[in-house]
Amino acid sequence: MTNHQIIEILNEIAELLEVKGENKFKIRAYQKLSRFLSSYPYELKDIYKEKGIKGLTEIQNIGEGIAKKIAELIDSGKLTYLEELKKSLPENLEMLLKIPGMGPKTAFLLGDKFKIKTISQLEKFLLSGKLREVKGYGPKIEEKLLKGIELYKKGEKRKLLGEAYPIAYKIINILKDKVKIDYIAPVGSLRRMEDTVGDIDILAVCDDKKKLMDTFTSLDFVDSVIAKGEKKSSVHLLEGIQADIRVFNKDEIGAALQYFTGNKEHNVLIREIAVKKGFTLNEYGLYKGKKKIAGEKEEDIYKLLGLSYIPPELRLGADEIKLAAENKIPQLVDLKDIKGDFHIHSNYSDGRDDIETLAKEAIKRGYSYIAITDHSQSLKVAHGLSIQRIKEQMQKIDKLNKKYKDKVLILKGIECDILQDGTLDYSDDVLQNFDFVIGSVHTNFKMNKKEMTERILKAMDNKYLKSIGHISGRMINMREPYELDYGAIFDKAAKNNIALEINAQPERLDISDIYIKEAIKYGVKFTIGTDAHIFESFDYIIYGVGKARRGWATKDDIINTYSVEKILKWMK
DNA sequence: GCCGTTTTCGGCCCGACTGTTTTCAGTCG
Ligand SMILES: Nc1nc2c(ncn2[C@H]2C[C@H](O)[C@@H](COP(=O)(O)OP(=O)(O)OP(=O)(O)O)O2)c(=O)[nH]1
Ligand SMILES: [Mg+2]
Ligand SMILES: [Mg+2]
Ligand SMILES: [Zn+2]
């Protein structure tokens, strides 16, 4: 029973309780825990095995009630409570609830009174016009639900951060072009730099609100308008994702950002603090009675609530608020601190560009160094480098380093396969010639937790290894990560002075940010690498930095912030 | 169902849009 599975079950319980019309705070408790666990770095089953129920209740948002249920799930794989809950309700409600526009009330009505169990039954029912006979329902609702079914059938998944970000900026640039806008920015999960986003949230400040909304809802790539008001509109895009916009006045921008950045749990906790202090907080401002006491700047709101500023990436509703109250939010690493990129492929292996092109791009970005890290010999599909090719590449790099002396330093790197037995893909007398060796697993993924951990730990005995590439092997939405004993790896990484890579490819984002904070406690350092195969992908660095920030990393934790002198020393 | 240096019981965020209403419920942010 993985955390992932437990999260799904908690969500299912919350949904069913909603349909039952249960106490909404009880429902919130399940939702809150579910969200909390999605960024929790330890497996509950390990904690339960070690410390029992008591270990579980020590975790934030888990009390006696849910601890017992989790224990039953781990012990037996089943949950009597959920089974009973399902029995007491119409079948297949979960499916109905996934239809956009269908909430708990309507789903219950359809399941209970009209015995609807399948999508095709629902379609027939809606087309028959029988729903409008129920008080409170009419033809527009039937239509809306039919549209919801079409959307549901598309089965759209959450988009990768790296897919959604460019779409958000496409929208922003068009709007800026067509309407006079004072401020516009991506917010929600995009601003928090989550791995994936459920929709694109945009916040704007603009005088001509009507024109902005007209423009937004009539963009070329809008395929349906879900809602359109003067403060808020929602559309669905051809790209297969929803976009929400909210428009505010200038003096509300701080409160608006605070609200629209979220996450929801963070907002609720912040608003609770406001209430305790005798204030109210909404998206327009912080109020003491009728009097507005903050709203222009996010910082002011946090400050008046007795908190230091909390960067968006940390706003999870976990422990960031407590730490802000104690003034213990660290100065996080920033994009402007980054001096180089530690994972780049050239046309020597499976990259598109020659090394000189890559070096020029690095110079353009103001980098001090880049590491060229092509694939190693056994990875034939990616044209892994033979020993002869390594020699040629090194000579080439020497030449370029002469040519671009004082402009950028090209590091002789390699992304060396960690073979099934934990040895590296070249012998030490080859590896010793590189400045920077990444060890990556690209083959034989189907090993259990113990075997895969041992494989990686073994590789870490090699004194030339400097960083572990994309450690979990996950491909977001496509391939699950393999299980690892992260504690053992962090421990050895810190002791052997081996960094972990934050791979910034949108589909990888690996090591996952939920582990970074833990690793830092062990003293582990990180190299951020875009894994670029074309120079345009140097852009992915923003996602890498975002992940580092979500892991509470400071400048010191990230090797890419070091000067040339310092990295040369570190690589020795 | 969870939580707490004021509380172990009584709190638990607040608002926009739509469709159906003649005052508001439902859904979503
Ligand atoms: N105060 C408050 N704010 C909310 C609530 N629901 C959403 N928000 C705010 C915080 C969210 O980050 C923001 C955008 O909502 P979304 O539903 O788009 O969620 P978010 O972008 O966080 O995640 P997503 O990737 O879209 O699933 O709106 C709520 O119930 N109360
Ligand atoms: Mg969102
Ligand atoms: Mg949204
Ligand atoms: Zn790789």
Side-chain angles (χ1 to χ4, degrees), chain A residues 37-54:
Chain A
L37 289 179
S38 69
S39 56
Y40 190 71
Y42 302 102
E43 286 294 315
L44 294 185
K45 69 169 182 297
D46 295 340
I47 292 174
Y48 175 61
K49 273 179 194 145
E50 203 181 312
K51 297 204 227 155
I53 297 262
K54 194 164 163 296

Side-chain angles (χ1 to χ4, degrees), chain A residues 13 66 383 390 464 550:
Chain A
I13 293 173
I66 297 186
H383 307 288
I390 291 172
Y464 300 109
R550 283 178 65 86

Side-chain angles (χ1 to χ4, degrees), chain A residues 15 93-104 106-107 110 119 122 126 131 137 140-157 198-199 224-227 234-236 240-242 244:
Chain A
E15 282 187 339
L93 276 183
E94 298 100 300
M95 190 261 300
L96 293 180
L97 287 164
K98 288 202 180 78
I99 297 166
M102 176 91 69
T106 310
L110 291 169
I119 290 291
L122 178 59
L126 291 172
L131 184 60
Y137 290 86
K140 292 256 176 77
I141 291 179
E142 291 171 349
E143 216 174 285
K144 189 166 142 188
L145 288 173
L146 283 166
K147 258 171 101 177
I149 291 174
E150 289 312 305
L151 213 58
Y152 168 82
K153 282 184 180 163
K154 286 187 187 158
E156 286 168 359
K157 286 191 200 137
D199 67 356
S224 83
V225 177
I226 299 160
S234 292
V235 297
H236 186 269
I241 189 167
Q242 186 178 321
D244 295 344

Side-chain angles (χ1 to χ4, degrees), chain A residues 12 50 241 253 257 294 329 364 397 409 489 517:
Chain A
E12 194 177 348
E50 203 181 312
I241 189 167
I253 191 167
L257 276 168
I329 303 286
K364 200 174 121 201
I397 291 178
L409 175 68
I489 291 171
K517 192 177 178 188

